[in-house]
Amino acid sequence: MTKRGGVRMAYSEQSFIEVQFPVSKVSKESYKERKANLGQTLTGLGKWWGRKPLILIRAALLGLLMPANDNPKKDREIFLKILTMDEAGLWLRKNKSIPMQEIYDNLTPGERKRYFKEESNGKISYRKDITREEKENLQRLVFNRLSYDQKLTYCVRPEEVDNLPETEWKKINEYLGTNASTLQELVQELGRRRFGKIPVVGDCFCGGGSVPFEAARMGCDVYASDLNPIAMLLTWAALNINGSSEEEITSLRAFQEKIFELADKQITAWGIEHNEEGHRANSYLYCNETVCPECGWRVPLAPSWVIGKGTNTVAILKENADKKGFDIEIKSDATKAEMGQAEKMATIQDSSLYCPHCKNTTPITAIRRDRKHDDRTVEYGLRRWEAHEFIPRPDDVFQERLYCIRYKREYVDEKGNVKTERYYTAPTDGALEREKKVVRLLEERFAEWQEKGYIPNSRIEEGDETSRLMRERGWTYWHQLFNPRQLLVHGLLMELIDQYAKTKKEKVVGLLGVNKCCDWNSKLGVWHSGAGVENSQNTFLNQALNTLFNYGTRGLTNLKNSWLFSMNNFTIRYNINVLTTSDARQIKNIAEIWLTDPPYADAINYHELSEFFLAWDKKMLLDIFPEWYADSKRALAVKGTGESFNQSMVEIYRNLAEQMPKDGMQIVMFTHQNVGVWADLTLILWAAGLRVTAAWNIATETDASGLKQGNYVKGTVLLVLRKQTSEETAYLDELYPEIELEIKRQIDSMRELDDKEDPNFSDTDYLLAAYAASLKVLTSYRQIEDIDVNYELSKTRVSGDESPVEKIINEAVKIAYDYLTPSGFDSYLWKMLTSEERFYIKGLDLEKDGIYQIGAYQELARGFGVREYKDLLASIRANQARLKTAMEFGMRGLGGADSFSKSLLRNVLAALHQAIKAEDTIQGRNWLKNELPNYWSQRNTIVEILEFISAFENIENMPHWKEEARYARLLAELVKNDSV
């Protein structure tokens, strides 16, 4: 029981997130966090794939803990206030001043006159008598007039706000009946009310540590595990490094500086980065080289010979007949023609070698001597490198060549100021000697360093990602993904860490630093030639291990930002129950809340990609965490699709359901919107003893324009679950009326809550609610007589085969579309239209909201059961899809075999075409009267359609409808006033 306003009331069993969730605002906040890139709180610690935004975790956990009361709008207001997403919270987060021009643009004419002076040349300035206080008031006035998206450009992220003001806590406490003064206190109090204790938040797929870190920062106890030791290293660092005191952070930064200075001193002593003038190299560019089978010349390989677009630097190939090869000249300040030639003379074109000497092209597969057999198997031709090798043999297909170095020099200008200059040059004889010295230095240390774990010695296992390393380059050991210079620098850092790190945290910081260096300094690092960049990029620009024909290598000074990665100090109030490497099927730790983001349908091969880092970390990782293992556990990794994957997932989630109290809750996050994937995941969770209570879609991986319209394709779905407690059995046919009622109830409640000025839900969110509503009904029963869950999970999927659960979801979508009448359209007349007509009108509704994704139209077509819809589209390009206008349809196809060609809507479009062509609406009305035998009885529907189209006249993103909309308005009046 809890008190509010002196009245005792029962604590709501239903949580906020099971009733509502501010998907639009959370999406926008998630995108803002994503845009921070390396400025995100946890990304600085190291690379992990698919980390979820911390604000998403925070909102989800608060949504689970906060009760759903009998005042949904007030619930929402308080929820947003706690997350600083309300008006007061956004003002609190504002840290940038709104520019004067934007202030001016958002004022009324009277306000402009009062506060601004307008010059004859159009320039504006504040009036001289304006006080500082009035300027501050203008900031607030205009800030409140901005849209949510515009406000976010002037705000820090919610996590960057230390605490809410006391006045806000008073409002929160008064409504919730709490007594908190911080988020941690509130979370703990809400947790005690719901579960009788501070809740444990568990994540058995913790990856980069987002869930345990944010849960701990919010004041929860946490359990975190992952099968992958690199994931656990990052999670441990998130909680223990970012959770260190300010004094500890200062000490750890001093340790980073010390190791870097020692490495710098050693490399300088070796003399491998300074040239004869004492200038230091910060970047090296290497390329592969191979022999052209047509002419026998040795050809350096690159998809472009442009080195820098900002400095206009190019590599120019010069024939050397004596060597039967090419010299490479480096030229900066190249002309436009030379820049174009450098692109044109690429020696890798369409996965083939182009030889500039004989002008012949040879597929790279032929260069590698790959052979296809009659049974369609492929025998790959490259020699496999041996364990002791780190450079190619002289007779290998691909050799490696240093072709460019960028140096940095300091000089004093005429005014006595110290200036820095960077310049590119081809390697001199001295530079090539330094390359040989690097190889000698590495040879002297190679065996010892491998034994001590300073450089990798593990073999690359075959896999979807890793096998390409072998077939495309012949590399069979992880150290072969690094050239001698990279191995020497990284190995030196590892040696210094081993010698000087005294504490567990120092060792972890050192290991994370080396991992960052490896990511930004391998043979898989693309050289980025873009203006303002001109540097090697990180290995994992995407979720793959991509072999390259040319790549960049960073000198030590160019690795400094990677080594000195950012560490943040956060006050984390929590008890760490367990942080461990573990198979999720074997977990025996109880958690009140499980919040997981499972690997799904081979989206990312975590187990393979992480071995890139694990190869470096193995020995030191076991020294730091002797209770862990240093194996990616590929055999146990949840991967693939089909029966074995489904069975693994059932075992995991059945175990999590068992390690959860009766009133416990779960959220499963996933990114697939395919109905088949939804159906499989539902069956998995249902078989595991869980039931769906809600689902919400958050746009976490999309661009800004997509965000504003609630892009459905690239979001993260939050599936909210509780334990299955029902013993009831139902028949499928009996469920459809119940599903229909639940869908309508869900849509009605969302519409009632929605903010008309700043809509939170789009049609796609309502459709997702229909998915969730159907699954809520389905999984509320212990068993459905018509569905054999185990059979469905074990059977092989055949293309076009629709499972019973898919049928339920597709039927739910149809129900939702029938119910979702477009704004401004009469609901009775809407039901009288054909499926094709409703598809077209709802498509216009999408277009009005700025949604141009082809997937949205595909979803519409599925929802209305329209098979042939592409003929109705003017464009089917991915992000430019839209419907044809009346003028684009013209008079073609009228009265054809398909139902749309004969429909009332098609005739209305034809009438518009006639009216515009003749510049006379009477022509349009006459068409309708002559061609429609039921003109008089259909007049109301005709007017409804025309008035719907007329609303597009001033829609900014629909200029192609402007003329049709104007004529639709005039024609609607003509038809409306027509008399027999």
Side-chain angles (χ1 to χ4, degrees):
M1 302 288 282
T2 183
K3 279 189 177 182
R4 187 189 307 150
V7 180
R8 290 181 66 79
M9 52 182 290
Y11 187 80
S12 173
E13 198 173 299
Q14 216 173 16
S15 69
F16 177 86
I17 199 170
E18 291 176 297
V19 175
Q20 59 170 306
F21 200 60
V23 296
S24 177
K25 288 182 172 63
V26 175
S27 293
K28 289 166 182 177
E29 297 286 357
S30 295
Y31 181 67
K32 179 178 176 65
E33 185 176 325
R34 276 276 190 259
K35 282 202 304 183
N37 298 322
L38 294 176
Q40 294 176 71
T41 299
L42 297 184
T43 11
L45 296 175
K47 177 67 185 178
W48 193 258
W49 304 267
R51 270 192 183 102
K52 291 296 179 281
L54 296 175
I55 185 57
L56 174 59
I57 308 300
R58 180 176 291 198
L61 286 174
L62 180 63
L64 287 173
L65 291 169
M66 190 174 133
N69 292 303
D70 53 7
N71 188 342
K73 290 195 173 180
K74 187 66 176 178
D75 282 353
R76 183 189 189 84
E77 178 190 318
I78 293 299
F79 184 83
L80 293 173
K81 187 175 292 296
I82 296 166
L83 294 177
T84 65
M85 293 183 193
D86 65 334
E87 192 172 296
L90 287 164
W91 179 253
L92 180 67
R93 288 162 52 191
K94 182 176 177 289
N95 71 330
K96 295 176 186 172
S97 184
I98 303 172
M100 182 172 63
Q101 185 63 53
E102 188 161 356
I103 294 282
Y104 180 83
D105 292 342
N106 283 278
L107 295 179
T108 65
E111 289 167 340
R112 290 176 183 176
K113 189 174 181 180
R114 178 179 172 187
Y115 295 111
F116 282 90
K117 181 181 178 182
E118 299 178 42
E119 307 289 346
S120 56
N121 59 5
K123 287 187 177 181
I124 58 168
S125 60
Y126 285 113
R127 295 177 66 90
K128 289 183 179 179
D129 57 346
I130 297 300
T131 65
R132 184 187 296 271
E133 185 181 358
E134 285 176 309
K135 286 184 181 179
E136 180 63 23
N137 290 339
L138 278 177
Q139 286 280 322
R140 183 143 201 175
L141 176 72
V142 169
F143 186 75
N144 288 338
R145 289 176 180 174
L146 300 178
S147 68
Y148 197 90
D149 303 83
Q150 292 170 319
K151 287 174 181 173
L152 285 186
T153 62
Y154 299 103
C155 294
V156 296
R157 304 195 299 270
E159 63 176 307
E160 295 175 276
V161 175
D162 289 335
N163 199 4
L164 290 169
E166 191 178 331
T167 52
E168 297 301 285
W169 279 117
K170 186 178 179 182
K171 294 173 187 174
I172 293 165
N173 290 326
E174 188 175 316
Y175 183 72
L176 294 177
T178 50
N179 187 29
S181 58
T182 66
L183 177 62
Q184 289 84 1
E185 289 176 3
L186 178 69
V187 164
Q188 291 176 357
E189 192 169 344
L190 292 176
R192 286 191 187 98
R193 290 188 186 183
R194 186 168 287 281
F195 303 112
K197 63 189 285 288
I198 295 174
V200 175
V201 175
D203 184 3
C204 60
F205 300 111
C206 61
S210 293
V211 171
F213 173 78
E214 194 60 23
R217 189 161 60 159
M218 291 175 72
C220 297
D221 291 348
V222 298
Y223 167 86
S225 68
D226 201 293
L227 192 64
N228 194 301
I230 296 299
M232 287 314 305
L233 176 67
L234 290 167
T235 299
W236 191 94
L239 291 163
N240 291 277
I241 302 300
N242 278 358
S244 297
S245 66
E246 191 57 51
E247 292 76 19
E248 284 181 299
I249 294 289
T250 301
S251 175
L252 291 171
R253 286 180 181 141
F255 171 75
Q256 288 179 306
E257 293 280 0
K258 176 182 177 179
I259 298 298
F260 189 84
E261 287 169 11
L262 289 168
D264 184 43
K265 185 177 180 181
Q266 181 60 77
I267 286 171
T268 302
W270 280 337
I272 57 172
E273 287 191 355
H274 292 79
N275 64 12
E276 293 77 5
E277 290 80 27
H279 305 160
R280 188 163 190 172
N282 66 11
S283 294
Y284 300 82
L285 278 73
Y286 295 83
C287 66
N288 282 187
E289 201 167 47
T290 195
V291 175
C292 171
E294 300 294 332
C295 65
W297 275 51
R298 186 169 292 281
V299 182
L301 304 175
S304 169
W305 292 108
V306 173
I307 292 170
K309 293 177 181 175
T311 56
N312 289 338
T313 301
V314 296
I316 301 170
L317 304 189
K318 302 280 189 179
E319 290 196 1
N320 186 325
D322 295 336
K323 294 181 180 177
K324 289 191 72 176
F326 295 85
D327 296 329
I328 302 178
E329 177 188 322
I330 305 300
K331 183 175 182 181
S332 293
D333 298 320
T335 64
K336 188 175 180 180
E338 288 170 327
M339 293 289 287
Q341 185 69 5
E343 286 281 12
K344 185 179 176 183
M345 288 302 291
T347 48
I348 292 292
Q349 299 179 13
D350 299 323
S351 301
S352 295
L353 159 71
Y354 168 74
C355 178
H357 176 68
C358 68
K359 315 299 186 209
N360 283 312
T361 299
T362 309
I364 290 297
T365 51
I367 299 287
R368 296 196 314 240
R369 303 165 195 158
D370 297 345
R371 290 183 295 169
K372 280 189 178 180
H373 296 294
D374 293 339
D375 61 358
R376 295 189 177 182
T377 59
V378 179
E379 181 183 340
Y380 298 105
L382 290 181
R383 175 188 74 84
R384 298 291 177 93
W385 287 30
E386 295 181 19
H388 66 280
E389 294 178 304
F390 53 82
I391 55 175
R393 291 181 189 172
D395 60 345
D396 276 339
V397 171
F398 295 118
Q399 297 296 305
E400 291 182 4
R401 174 177 178 178
L402 173 65
Y403 69 94
C404 180
I405 305 172
R406 183 173 64 189
Y407 288 101
K408 180 179 175 181
R409 77 179 184 98
E410 290 185 346
Y411 65 96
V412 179
D413 67 9
E414 296 171 352
K415 296 180 180 178
N417 299 316
V418 178
K419 298 282 187 179
T420 300
E421 177 192 36
R422 292 179 176 182
Y423 64 94
Y424 294 94
T425 180
T428 60
D429 290 342
L432 296 175
E433 280 302 316
R434 288 188 286 278
E435 283 293 291
K436 291 176 183 176
K437 185 175 183 180
V438 167
V439 173
R440 288 197 304 273
L441 288 166
L442 183 58
E443 284 173 337
E444 292 166 7
R445 292 159 176 77
F446 189 78
E448 181 190 355
W449 276 9
Q450 279 202 327
E451 185 181 344
K452 289 184 174 180
Y454 299 161
I455 58 176
N457 65 358
S458 53
R459 192 179 185 91
I460 301 170
E461 291 183 47
E462 297 268 2
D464 292 336
E465 281 301 324
T466 48
S467 291
R468 71 154 60 108
L469 301 172
M470 305 174 203
R471 67 175 180 262
E472 294 176 7
R473 289 297 179 273
W475 299 330
T476 52
Y477 289 83
W478 284 103
H479 70 268
Q480 290 156 0
L481 276 66
F482 302 85
N483 69 20
R485 187 174 288 279
Q486 293 165 339
L487 287 170
L488 188 65
V489 171
H490 301 166
L492 173 62
L493 290 169
M494 289 289 281
E495 182 179 53
L496 292 169
I497 296 162
D498 197 28
Q499 289 174 4
Y500 292 97
K502 304 301 180 190
T503 67
K504 179 182 277 194
K505 288 186 179 182
E506 285 181 347
K507 289 177 182 178
V508 168
V509 164
L511 210 50
L512 293 175
V514 169
N515 286 354
K516 294 270 287 189
C517 290
C518 289
D519 186 23
W520 288 89
N521 199 37
S522 80
K523 291 198 281 190
L524 277 58
V526 174
W527 177 261
H528 197 314
S529 62
V533 183
E534 298 189 23
N535 214 339
S536 57
Q537 299 301 291
N538 62 319
T539 299
F540 293 108
L541 274 175
N542 57 16
Q543 298 160 358
L545 293 164
N546 302 298
T547 57
L548 304 170
F549 288 102
N550 69 321
Y551 63 90
T553 292
R554 296 188 172 213
L556 182 69
T557 55
N558 202 1
L559 281 173
K560 190 169 185 178
N561 287 339
S562 298
W563 172 257
L564 298 175
F565 63 88
S566 63
M567 293 177 280
N568 300 292
N569 165 239
F570 296 98
T571 303
I572 295 178
R573 301 182 182 127
Y574 72 108
N575 295 313
I576 301 176
N577 283 352
V578 178
L579 295 180
T580 183
T581 48
S582 177
D583 183 346
R585 285 161 281 215
Q586 306 303 319
I587 290 167
K588 297 301 175 190
N589 292 75
I590 301 292
E592 282 69 38
I593 294 171
W594 288 100
L595 206 168
T596 54
D597 179 15
Y600 206 79
D602 277 345
I604 304 173
N605 291 300
Y606 298 95
H607 50 290
E608 294 182 31
L609 301 181
S610 62
E611 288 171 1
F612 174 90
F613 299 114
L614 191 56
W616 286 88
D617 296 354
K618 277 189 173 185
K619 192 150 188 175
M620 194 172 288
L621 193 68
L622 290 176
D623 175 49
I624 303 168
F625 303 103
E627 70 278 14
W628 293 4
Y629 49 76
D631 182 341
S632 68
K633 300 289 183 184
R634 280 197 189 198
L636 295 174
V638 179
K639 54 186 181 291
T641 54
E643 184 179 0
S644 66
F645 170 79
N646 291 341
Q647 190 56 43
S648 296
M649 290 282 281
V650 170
E651 288 174 19
I652 288 167
Y653 280 96
R654 182 178 289 137
N655 184 43
L656 294 189
E658 289 170 0
Q659 310 310 320
M660 183 175 83
K662 189 176 180 180
D663 57 353
M665 305 178 76
Q666 290 200 37
I667 287 180
V668 174
M669 296 183 279
F670 66 106
T671 55
H672 291 261
Q673 269 71 49
N674 178 277
V675 172
V677 174
W678 267 87
D680 280 352
L681 185 59
T682 301
L683 288 167
I684 286 165
L685 296 170
W686 196 16
L690 295 163
R691 60 186 171 92
V692 176
T693 61
W696 307 102
N697 184 61
I698 306 300
T700 54
E701 311 288 344
T702 186
D703 57 29
S705 59
L707 256 178
K708 291 172 187 175
Q709 285 78 42
N711 188 326
Y712 185 48
V713 180
K714 297 180 181 179
T716 293
V717 173
L718 305 182
L719 204 60
V720 187
L721 304 144
R722 286 182 182 262
K723 274 193 171 185
Q724 173 62 261
T725 54
S726 172
E727 295 298 331
E728 292 186 51
T729 298
Y731 288 90
L732 205 51
D733 289 344
E734 300 171 348
L735 293 184
Y736 286 108
E738 192 177 344
I739 287 171
E740 183 170 358
L741 283 173
E742 180 60 27
I743 289 169
K744 290 178 178 179
R745 187 202 65 76
Q746 183 68 45
I747 290 174
D748 286 344
S749 66
M750 289 166 70
R751 279 176 161 170
E752 189 178 337
L753 281 167
D754 214 7
D755 183 345
K756 301 297 183 288
E757 298 301 315
D758 184 15
N760 191 53
F761 305 115
S762 66
D763 272 3
T764 49
D765 295 305
Y766 290 116
L767 289 183
L768 186 64
Y771 277 36
S774 62
L775 300 183
K776 278 169 72 174
V777 172
L778 183 70
T779 61
S780 68
Y781 292 92
R782 173 72 64 179
Q783 184 180 340
I784 305 296
E785 284 290 352
D786 314 66
I787 301 176
D788 184 335
V789 176
N790 292 327
Y791 169 73
E792 293 297 333
L793 287 172
S794 63
K795 77 177 186 181
T796 303
R797 292 279 177 232
V798 179
S799 180
D801 183 26
E802 192 178 46
S803 74
V805 178
E806 285 180 80
K807 288 178 183 175
I808 288 170
I809 294 172
N810 285 326
E811 185 61 33
V813 169
K814 289 177 184 176
I815 293 167
Y817 272 129
D818 281 342
Y819 196 60
L820 286 168
T821 310
S823 55
F825 212 96
D826 181 86
S827 58
Y828 174 77
L829 295 177
W830 172 247
K831 290 176 183 176
M832 305 301 293
L833 299 177
T834 67
S835 296
E836 288 79 7
E837 288 174 313
R838 281 187 280 177
F839 166 81
Y840 187 88
I841 288 171
K842 278 303 277 188
L844 290 178
D845 224 22
L846 287 181
E847 199 175 323
K848 181 181 71 176
D849 290 336
I851 297 175
Y852 294 99
Q853 287 77 25
I854 186 64
Y857 290 90
Q858 291 167 344
E859 188 74 35
L860 272 181
R862 277 198 296 270
F864 287 120
V866 176
R867 292 185 178 275
E868 303 299 326
Y869 66 91
K870 290 186 178 177
D871 287 344
L872 309 186
L873 296 175
S875 169
I876 58 171
R877 293 181 65 183
N879 291 304
Q880 298 175 29
R882 69 167 180 84
L883 292 158
K884 289 177 181 175
T885 65
M887 295 306 289
E888 287 168 333
F889 270 118
M891 306 303 289
R892 295 182 298 277
L894 271 165
D898 63 287
S899 59
F900 185 75
S901 298
K902 297 179 285 191
S903 69
L904 174 65
L905 173 58
R906 181 66 186 92
N907 277 281
V908 170
L909 293 172
L912 271 178
H913 177 271
Q914 293 291 316
I916 296 168
K917 189 177 177 183
E919 298 184 357
D920 183 0
T921 51
I922 292 175
Q923 294 294 325
R925 185 201 59 182
N926 290 345
W927 168 271
L928 292 169
K929 292 179 81 166
N930 294 333
E931 298 298 324
L932 295 174
N934 300 319
Y935 168 75
W936 296 106
S937 62
Q938 292 181 307
R939 208 156 49 117
N940 287 344
T941 310
I942 293 168
V943 170
E944 190 77 12
I945 291 170
L946 287 168
E947 287 183 340
F948 180 76
I949 292 172
S950 71
F952 306 148
E953 188 172 357
N954 296 310
I955 301 291
E956 190 176 328
N957 55 307
M958 297 180 75
H960 46 285
W961 272 101
K962 191 171 183 67
E963 187 75 350
E964 274 100 331
R966 186 169 71 85
Y967 272 90
R969 175 168 50 81
L970 299 171
L971 185 56
E973 286 300 314
L974 197 61
V975 172
K976 194 187 297 183
N977 296 317
D978 202 4
S979 57
V980 179

